[in-house]
Amino acid sequence: QVQLVESGGGSVQAGGSLRLSCAVSGYAYSKSVMAWFRQAPGKEREGVSAIDSDGKIAYADSVQGRFTISQDNAKNSLYLQMNSLKLEDTAMYYCAAGPYGGSWRSWTKYGYWGQGTQVTVSS
């Protein structure tokens, strides 16, 4: 049974930092993509960043240079370091796992999702 469990969300002032973690169990595909998505109230779910099993990384333009995705295969964990947070980063953040192929930004390619962790940035 595949499980993804996010943690690390919270409330922070603009300019602050948070580190999200996603503990992954039961998912062991050699060719896969792990990603972070976010969804704010009234908005569509959007891709934030992704990393594939070859280590190739992609970011949304809105977070490029501020967020860093990483993974620790020994700990079966995915991370998202978020620096210089902005009000518009406020959202529920989800980690997702899926196979190679297609656009990493397309949430429909991911078959496994965590329950989400809330990030709230205030002024």
Side-chain angles (χ1 to χ4, degrees):
Q1 182 180 0
V2 178
Q3 283 192 317
L4 284 69
V5 181
E6 303 95 337
S7 61
S11 297
V12 64
Q13 288 191 322
S17 298
L18 284 173
R19 188 189 193 215
L20 305 184
S21 299
C22 176
V24 183
S25 60
Y27 189 76
Y29 292 100
S30 60
K31 293 292 187 182
S32 62
V33 180
M34 300 293 300
W36 288 99
F37 280 75
R38 67 186 180 187
Q39 188 166 20
K43 295 188 177 181
E44 293 187 356
R45 187 169 299 191
E46 66 167 340
V48 175
S49 182
I51 183 169
D52 68 22
S53 47
D54 290 332
K56 184 178 178 182
I57 290 173
Y59 295 100
D61 290 345
S62 59
V63 307
Q64 181 77 47
R66 300 188 297 120
F67 290 11
T68 303
I69 192 171
S70 62
Q71 61 185 12
D72 185 332
N73 291 328
K75 294 183 179 180
N76 293 325
S77 293
L78 179 73
Y79 306 100
L80 186 69
Q81 177 67 45
M82 306 187 296
N83 299 329
S84 302
L85 283 160
K86 303 177 180 180
L87 297 180
E88 53 264 40
D89 295 319
T90 295
M92 185 71 79
Y93 283 71
Y94 300 89
C95 67
Y100 269 19
S103 170
W104 73 268
R105 300 174 189 271
S106 176
W107 65 270
T108 58
K109 75 179 254 86
Y110 298 93
Y112 302 101
W113 293 84
Q115 82 289 348
T117 186
Q118 178 68 37
V119 172
T120 302
V121 184
S122 60
S123 59

